[in-house]
Every structure is written in structure tokens, then in C-alpha cells.
Amino acid sequence: MAVNTEIKTYNNYINGKWQSSSNNEVQASINPANKNEIVGYISQSTREDLDQAVAAAKTAQVAWRKLSGAARGDFLYKVANILENRLDEIAETMTREMGKTLPEAKGETARGVAILRYYAGEGMRKVGDVIPSTDSDALMFTTRTSLGVVGVITPWNFPVAIPIWKIAPALVYGNTVVLKPAGETAVTAAKVIECFAEAGLPEGVINMVTGSGSVIGQGIVDHPDINGITFTGSDQVGKAVGQGALARGAKYQLEMGGKNPVIVTDDADLDLAVEATISGGLRSTGQKCTATSRVIVQSGVYEEFKEKLVAKVKELKVGNGLQESTWMGPCASESQLNTVLSYVEKGQEEGATLLYGGKKHEEEGLENGFYVQPAVFDNVTNDMVIAQEEIFGPVLALIKVDTVEEALNVANDSKFGLSASIFTTNVSNMLSFIKDMDAGLVRINAESAGVELQAPFGGMKLSSSGSREQGEAAKEFFTSIKTVFVKG
Ligand code: NAP
Ligand code: MG
């Protein structure tokens, strides 16, 4: 493509060096708030580039795994400090590259800093147990070993936090890493990797290769020298990643989509429920895997809840995420915008009532961006496509139910099971929800999209391959247990 030489090109990071791809091809990363603005160019790499990165990671792992956990953790503390110093700049890049508002981007970057510090400390925490042997002269215990080279494949919706919550535990437990970030947000990812580079990690410990999912992503899945693959993205791609990894015996972890419900019961605090439904469903333009999309409301409060919700949604200010007055930014890309518009059309065809929104914004100042109005549907039944498929946009589907039991059945009637919320003041309702809701995160009187970095994160059913990320749970994926038996 014709390149504007005044705009920076972000290269691959391989074996401690920034280098252009072997074919010198680049792709423009554009600002969804203004499609005429190029944020940067990124390499469209080849398998040859990937092979170099994997070879570097494999060589580097020999010495890296021999360091103490504390020594590896010290590097992560350094990365955290560098990222913290660059927080404003990296958050602004994120907003320009994928559209989320600046406060959201700053919050995410600050979370990245906190995750790095959390895992830096992990280098000094226990890794095993002593298990009594039936032989009284023996000592039996477990220890953990690194996997080797880990391939990290990430989506565009959290371009700082997701790469970090995979890379930090991978490194602290002695693995080396090859990252393939989403093309949509590879400039932001490159800036995160700059922080690792500045921290002086040994050559080859962390590598980044940008390029298409079908070449570099698939290349990671197929590469015989990649021992573990951690993937976050859609269920369609995730399934193929899992099958490819399984076929060659690599360990894999998949974190995929959601169709997250919120239940509002007759006894709920309605103002709180409205606020949390809006925040959980529409912040980040609905582009969170934990975003609320199905709003299941008991009939006694349905009309009142609906009125309050629509009144508030109408007030939300859509605009450029860099402007302070903006509450909701654009969709991250033209294809996301088109997906949202097509689901809005589909919902109407299926017989749901569009109460508000769902149209592309054409007002002056917004015409060059991928802006959509937040949408609220009424008269949705759970068998409709808009209640079953992940839209990944600012669309709320209201579903009326008579009882809490029916609400739970509807909430569970989904191929996904990532996050779910209930708004209720009744303890029995809370307890049934905790017991019977099939989701990896169940939240009471709190929005579906809140996540704390020190707690396990992941879903049930098609939302995950069953493993968990973050907190202590990350250890299960990024290490293997070794059972040791010693007889003197
Ligand atoms: P995606 O299309 O599945 O892409 C995810 C990553 O996979 C990207 O880096 C992509 O590269 C790469 N990829 C594409 N084709 C591939 C292939 N054949 N082999 C290997 N890798 C390939 O997902 P997305 O649109 O970026 O992200 C949105 C999805 O992520 C949603 O479904 C959302 O729910 C999910 N998500 C889940 C979580 C969670 O923790 N559960 C968190 C955030 C997001 P390119 O960018 O180059 O296509
Ligand atoms: Mg972009």
C-alpha cells in the first residue's frame, strides 16, 4: 500500500530488536472516530517472521526458566513502572485506535500496571504442596514447571489489559512469549511491548509479530515449537484454535464470547438496576465479552424499568472518545458497525420492537466515524437471534418473565456462560442465582462487566475451554505440575 512517511510504522519485536517484516508489507491502523486518520502502520508479517520469533523464544527460554521467580518478577515491576509513566500517552493511542473513551482507556491501562505488579509478586509465592507418602521414609511433593514457548493471541477490545494478563503470568512462571495482537489495535499493542523492551528483558523472552489471523494466528496454532497457546476472541476462531492445538498436542486455553444476562426481579432497586444495565451493556460501546445484552425483567416492574431505562439511554452522549463530554465512543471498526446495524435489522424482522436507537449517527462531526446510537429492543423472546448470538455492540434486548425461576431458565438458555447479574433484595433469589446460574462470573446487585484482576476470570459452556485466567488461577494454565517422590 502507499505509505504516508510522516506516520510511524510499528515493526515486529523479535529477539530484542524492532524489525520490519520480511516482505516489508504494512497495513494502516485507522481511527474509528475518523476513518481518514491513520494512527500508525503495522507490519503484515509472514510465517518466516513468526519462525524467527519462535526460534528466539525457544533459545531464550533455556536461561529464562533458570532465573528465580523473584528475578523474573523484578522485570515485571520495571515494566509496570514504565507503563505507568506512559499511561496517558498509551491510553490516548488506545482511544484513537479503537474508540473507547479516554477515561475507560486510562482505567484499562492502569489495570495493566496493576496486573504486572500482581504477577511480579507471584514470582515469590508458593507453587506446590507436600503430600504425605505411604512410605514413611520418603518425601512427596508437587512443584511446577514452565510450559516452554507460549503463543498469545489477543482481540482488539482490551488491547492493553488482555495481552498483559496473559504475558505477565506466562513470563513470571518461566515461559517465553510470542504475541500476535489483533490487527485492529496493533499500534497500542506495540506500545505495550515497547514497555517490556525498555525494561531490558533478555533478548527473545518476549516477541511480537503482527499480521493477519489466518497467517500469524494460524501459524502460532500450527507451530511445532509453541508449547502452549492462550487465546481470547470469538468462539468461531477459538474453536479452530483449540482443534489445531489439540491435534498437535499443545496445551491451549480459550476465552471467548458471551451473551450475558441481567435479571431484574420485582423486589429490585430499580434505579440501581437501570444504572448497572446501562453501564454493563453500553460502556465501551457494548464491546466487552462481559457486556450485558439480555435484560430479563419480572413483569411486576417491567414497564417502570423499561421507561426509566429508555429515558436514561436517550441522554447518553455519543461522540469522539477523546472529548470529555463523550459517554460512548464509536464502534471499533466499520465491520463492527455493520454487524450492529445488521442485528438491529434482524431484530425488527424477527418481530422485536425497537424502542430507541440502532441507527448510524450522521450528525455533523460524526459522519466520518463508525458511530451508532445505543439500541433498546422491547418484546424480545429468548429464541430470537438477537437474544442468542453475540452482537458485540450497544444493543439491549428486554425480555419479560413472570417468575424468578422463569428468569433463571431464560438466562441459562444460551450457548454462552461468561457473566451474569441479578438485581434483587431477596436473599432466596440471590441464593438460587448463585446455585443455578451457569456462568463463570455471577454478580449480585452489580453490573455484569466488572472484573477484578486478583480473582479467577472465565466462562462456562462456549465462553471458555474451561480454564480460568487472572489471579492465582493463571498458574494452572501457564505451568505443569510435577509430582516429586524422594527417597533418601
Ligand atoms: P477474533 O476475530 O476471534 O480475533 C481474535 C484474535 O484471533 C485476533 O488476534 C485475530 O487476528 C486472531 N485470529 C483470526 N483468525 C485466526 C485464525 N484462523 N487462527 C488464529 N488466530 C486467528 O475476535 P475479535 O473480533 O478480535 O474480538 C472479539 C471477540 O473476543 C468477541 O467474541 C468477544 O466476546 C471476545 N472476547 C472474549 C473475552 C474473554 O475473556 N472471554 C475478552 C475479550 C473479548 P486478526 O485481528 O488479525 O483478525
Ligand atoms: Mg482501528
Side-chain angles (χ1 to χ4, degrees), residues 153-158 162 165 180-184 211-214 216-218 221 231-235 237-238 240-241 255-258 288-289 336 390 392 418 457 463 469:
I153 305 176
T154 53
W156 45 261
N157 64 334
F158 287 97
I162 295 181
W165 86 46
K180 182 256 174 280
E184 211 66 71
S212 74
S214 55
I216 305 303
Q218 190 64 44
V221 174
F231 168 90
T232 298
S234 60
D235 61 309
V237 175
V241 169
E255 295 303 334
M256 300 172 284
K288 292 184 186 175
C289 51
Q336 278 304 122
E390 183 183 48
F392 223 52
L418 185 52
F457 175 76
S463 292
E469 298 192 280

Side-chain angles (χ1 to χ4, degrees), residues 126-142:
K126 72 164 193 139
V127 292
D129 298 299
V130 174
I131 298 149
S133 169
T134 50
D135 181 339
S136 55
D137 294 331
L139 172 65
M140 186 161 70
F141 62 94
T142 59

Side-chain angles (χ1 to χ4, degrees), residues 343-481:
Y343 275 111
V344 169
E345 207 179 303
K346 181 82 197 158
Q348 290 169 289
E349 277 166 23
E350 287 180 302
T353 313
L354 183 61
L355 287 179
Y356 175 75
K359 290 176 192 65
K360 184 178 183 315
H361 265 291
E362 300 286 5
E363 287 93 281
E364 214 186 323
L366 301 186
E367 66 276 14
N368 287 325
F370 309 130
Y371 293 101
V372 69
Q373 300 163 334
V376 182
F377 273 106
D378 193 7
N379 297 321
V380 179
T381 53
N382 203 51
D383 56 349
M384 290 181 182
V385 170
I386 57 163
Q388 288 294 331
E389 291 182 11
E390 183 183 48
I391 300 175
F392 223 52
V395 182
L396 295 170
L398 291 170
I399 301 172
K400 196 197 284 189
V401 291
D402 288 323
T403 63
V404 177
E405 194 188 350
E406 188 189 347
L408 260 165
N409 287 339
V410 169
N412 276 328
D413 176 20
S414 170
K415 63 180 176 176
F416 295 113
L418 185 52
S419 180
S421 289
I422 190 168
F423 286 83
T424 183
T425 50
N426 175 303
V427 175
S428 312
N429 290 343
M430 294 179 190
L431 292 175
S432 332
F433 185 72
I434 295 169
K435 192 154 51 76
D436 296 330
M437 185 68 228
D438 297 330
L441 306 160
V442 291
R443 299 174 52 82
I444 292 156
N445 294 323
E447 67 169 75
S448 67
V451 167
E452 297 207 30
L453 64 98
Q454 70 278 27
F457 175 76
M460 294 180 181
K461 301 192 261 186
L462 245 187
S463 292
S464 161
S465 55
S467 48
R468 291 289 180 268
E469 298 192 280
Q470 304 197 51
E472 232 186 302
K475 191 156 53 189
E476 299 304 328
F477 179 72
F478 290 105
T479 64
S480 279
I481 293 180

Side-chain angles (χ1 to χ4, degrees), residues 276-310:
T277 301
I278 290 176
S279 179
L282 306 176
R283 275 196 195 278
S284 280
T285 322
Q287 301 168 134
K288 292 184 186 175
C289 51
T290 50
T292 302
S293 62
R294 294 181 295 148
V295 189
I296 304 162
V297 187
Q298 223 180 331
S299 44
V301 291
Y302 187 87
E303 291 303 321
E304 190 186 346
F305 176 86
K306 180 173 88 180
E307 270 169 37
K308 284 183 181 228
L309 180 79
V310 173

